[in-house]
Amino acid sequence: MRCDKKDLLLYAVTDRSWLNGATLYSQVEAALKGGATFVQLREKELDSEHFLEEAKEIQKLCRAYHVPFVINDNVDIALAIDADGVHVGQSDMEAGDVRAKLGPDKIIGISAQTVEQAVLAEKRGADYLGVGAVFPTGSKDDAVEVDHDTVEAICEAVHIPAIAIGGISRANVLELSGKGLSGIAVISAIFAQPNIEEATRELKSLTKKMVEA
């Protein structure tokens, strides 16, 4: 298995909106110290050269903590640095094409909002699904909300692990209990917090309860 279910428990997605003078490196390190189990580098603004440089740095950090590291959307950068894999949305490259480019050993995550999308993604070689937005979210302008019954239906329809994404926080994560999820993906619930390490630790313990419920 390219992607172990337990690695998906607390999936941290980077965002430079909340750096406030800190470096992305130091923020990711704080999340890893707090127990983040997976890291996705998400860059919407950087040019290729800086993205590549940053990806190499964050990759080294993740390797030191033995945590899988994937790139959001950019298959070429993932290839260039030999990242553990990529995460792509429905409007990006199709899973089969990504697999053809990256080869058989890399992790491929796909965003899914419906059972049909989820089943197709699995069929085409996805290793895990990011399902959402499960709550209203401010970090993605075009996020489609997915109700919790659909989340459960997606988890039942596929054999690969699914994680919830979108608007998840300490206050609402337990509402996702009993749906069959393997974990959660978060941005602001970690990176917008004053103490990233502490916020990560607390969120991880709540997520464990949610998954085991």
Side-chain angles (χ1 to χ4, degrees), residues 16-173:
R16 46 185 53 252
S17 316
W18 297 290
L19 290 183
N20 298 325
T23 62
L24 196 68
Y25 186 94
S26 67
Q27 288 201 339
V28 172
E29 183 153 42
L32 288 166
K33 280 182 178 158
T37 58
F38 205 110
V39 173
Q40 179 195 125
L41 182 63
R42 182 171 182 255
E43 277 301 352
K44 296 295 181 192
E45 312 300 331
L46 283 191
D47 59 60
S48 297
E49 190 187 341
H50 289 98
F51 191 173
L52 188 63
E53 219 168 277
E54 183 182 75
K56 284 177 182 166
E57 278 193 357
I58 307 286
Q59 180 179 37
K60 256 188 220 152
L61 188 56
C62 291
R63 282 191 176 157
Y65 281 85
H66 307 290
V67 162
F69 172 68
V70 300
I71 304 283
N72 181 60
D73 287 351
N74 197 318
V75 179
D76 295 331
I77 294 250
L79 268 174
I81 66 160
D82 194 25
D84 295 316
V86 290
H87 185 94
V88 292
Q90 280 294 321
S91 57
D92 305 306
M93 214 190 235
E94 191 271 303
D97 300 337
V98 179
R99 175 67 67 214
K101 272 192 101 164
L102 285 186
D105 307 326
K106 298 298 183 188
I107 299 168
I108 295 177
I110 302 279
S111 302
Q113 283 83 34
T114 65
V115 170
E116 292 71 28
Q117 288 175 355
V119 170
L120 192 59
E122 178 178 37
K123 202 162 93 183
R124 291 184 172 161
D127 293 294
Y128 73 89
L129 300 169
V131 180
V134 291
F135 297 108
T137 173
S139 56
K140 214 163 180 254
D141 309 332
D142 57 350
V144 180
E145 272 191 57
V146 177
D147 67 62
H148 296 178
D149 289 344
T150 303
V151 173
E152 193 169 358
I154 286 173
C155 292
E156 284 172 4
V158 295
H159 306 287
I160 53 175
I163 56 174
I165 189 164
I168 303 167
S169 67
R170 282 172 297 185
N172 62 21
V173 63

